Amino acid sequence: MLQAALRSGAAHRTSVFELFARRLPDGRRYGIVAGTGRFLEALREFRFGTAELDDLRKRKVVDDATLEWLGSYRFSGDIWGYAEGEAYFPGSPILVVESTFAEGVILETVALSIFNHDSAIASAASRMTAVAGDRPCIEMGSRRTHELSAVAAARAAYIAGFATTSNLEAGRRYGVPTSGTAAHSFTLLHDDEREAFQAQVDCLGAGTTLLVDTYDVTNAVQIAVEVAGPELGGVRLDSGDLLGQARDVREQLDGLGATKTRIVVTSDLDEYAIAALQAGPVDAYGVGTQLVTGSGAPTAGMVYKLVARADDAGTMVGVAKASKDKKSVGGRKYALRRIDSRGVAEAEIIGIGERPENDGNDRELLVPLVKGGEIVGDATLEQARERHLASRKELSRKAIQLSRGEPVIPTTYLDDQP
Amino acid sequence: MLQAALRSGAAHRTSVFELFARRLPDGRRYGIVAGTGRFLEALREFRFGTAELDDLRKRKVVDDATLEWLGSYRFSGDIWGYAEGEAYFPGSPILVVESTFAEGVILETVALSIFNHDSAIASAASRMTAVAGDRPCIEMGSRRTHELSAVAAARAAYIAGFATTSNLEAGRRYGVPTSGTAAHSFTLLHDDEREAFQAQVDCLGAGTTLLVDTYDVTNAVQIAVEVAGPELGGVRLDSGDLLGQARDVREQLDGLGATKTRIVVTSDLDEYAIAALQAGPVDAYGVGTQLVTGSGAPTAGMVYKLVARADDAGTMVGVAKASKDKKSVGGRKYALRRIDSRGVAEAEIIGIGERPENDGNDRELLVPLVKGGEIVGDATLEQARERHLASRKELSRKAIQLSRGEPVIPTTYLDDQP
């Protein structure tokens, strides 16, 4: 595609690509943008090196002119996008890329891969942390997804309100706070549970969290408090009737004087299981599989479409595929979140041409990310975390209902072009 | 966990870990092992470098003794496993790791990440290629998953019978055959469809595949044949009623003399959509989202469990968690596929202790992968592809039925230990 466009000359036409989701996953009320920081990091390093070019040459994938173009590739255009952590809705222009066709089209796969993965995780994570309220959620899903998706998933979960991750590389690379846990293998390795608990407490102090469901929970809790004393930091439950067990264990701990010992639960939790456990004396949730697989929606289903390009005279022309079931709206967009007088979001306004007079309640959603090839939109992970909280808080309470429904605000398209 | 075990001394006990799936994804009849080659590659490079150790030290994640142990980490044990491409069932010991506890436990996350991801993809891909029969499946899902999962997914799909991938890095890194396609943006970039088709044919020859559903399919097919001649390689349909359109387009192409022009269809295909399209004149399937998300099962749900470890006297003791809902079977396993006299698989025999007398029809499933830290089980991707085909062919025809059901063969546990 690139080679043919370079040869026909059309590759150099100024073009606008937009990255957006045609819809939210079935029944979801909102989505959360994540991946912006990783995308900018990828863009900074987006080069075709000798190894890649040699391979393309050897396998005759593209011609020499295309190889030469790839070898000197540097993105020199402009990019705007939603701030990382922002809520999004069907049609929201999460990324707007303005450059030559060639410079923009080559970013399609990397942009979509990052936003589709990271936003799927953040969108699921946001529902979990909304339901969990003040109780911290711990990301523990690394082993259930590709080894590097795991690092990105920990980052996305943190943006959407998770407290910590068990992924140490996410700690190293992105500064996500980390916390660990002991597995059943640690208990099974030792001759008995008391010996295992003793080894853990000797090493990590009484503030550690002991896994109490390898054999018999009641017995294990008794031993745990005997070994660590009532200052025992926490116990973890990883199987069975978690709600009932949490209640029994709380009572038992309190009876043993371990009134401050926390109860951490894990075991294939998702937002629905967390909601059910909110009724019990649970202090923290460890979430694995359902977090890293987006709780039923492992990809955000975003697309990257050419929406406008120059004609021979250099005039920008809006373009869109005509297909009925995959409609796109041509033309470069602006995006505003309309906020009512009580501060609650009421519509996602997406338009072409002149934006409407701002009545003071419209919030501008597109921020500059790249100008003339230079990255200008770097944000910290803490800023993304704050953006997520503020953006979610702005949505009506219906947004965090777990029942299936429509997007919590409608997407309204405006077009003042002739 | 590692630090506590190093300090208690238990870390040095000889241990056996097994990686297995407690169940197949809901309704699936078989799974396909993928990731073995990537796991061995990861094991070869599994080191803790200065950057990692400095970070762990700085953030006080582990103590100095543990840092020192990590810094000199080299796996020195033995590993057996199912050959890559092999079918697996609940309980199949896909990987058996024998080493000290410390050496084995530290591999848990990387092993599970790789096998859970790659096997989820291969298991879904195998159903797709089984249904597609002689019609090639093209992997096109890169943009719907994490940017490096995409490379691994292309590899796993190829093992499970996909013909090619659009992921060029999978071509470079693993030698997976690659093939590309033009997007709607290429058509929209040009002033009209004829100009776009002409640019593509000028550059890639008449044998290329033209995307014909940007505006009006019938009109586009007419233009495509006018531009490329009846030697046109293929047309691609990416929206709408694919079965009806394929029939119309075939008739139109034949009428234009383009009787050898192939029809490639894409558009959120999964194994069910492919099955429905088998009734139509379709020549190849491009599969994206549903492939890279495991068609409803994005993770294989495999676990990595300590099943045996030495006691103080050095005697190996089988161990298992007692929980009812997450039962594991203690002890180091052997694994055989029992084949009936017609060559059809009839049971997955998993046992502890002495294996039964081989009556000539049992197929040994565990192959040596690592001996004393040295990798001995390298296999080529082509071998994995052949293993997949042979293993799938050995299953009864029920295996490739798409309707939901039980595993096509039962898992039988044998235990001749006292």
Side-chain angles (χ1 to χ4, degrees), chain A residues 38 108 143 147 149 188, chain B residues 38 108 143 147 149 309:
Chain A
R38 289 214 308 122
E108 172 166 357
R143 62 197 59 188
E147 65 273 25
S149 307
L188 296 170
Chain B
R38 287 215 308 122
E108 172 166 356
R143 62 196 60 189
E147 64 275 24
S149 307
R309 48 92 184 151

Side-chain angles (χ1 to χ4, degrees), chain A residues 321-337:
Chain A
K321 185 183 177 199
S323 149
K324 274 170 217 146
D325 60 335
K326 288 186 178 174
K327 201 163 173 356
S328 301
V329 178
R332 160 124 174 247
K333 316 290 187 303
Y334 59 81
L336 307 169
R337 189 148 304 153

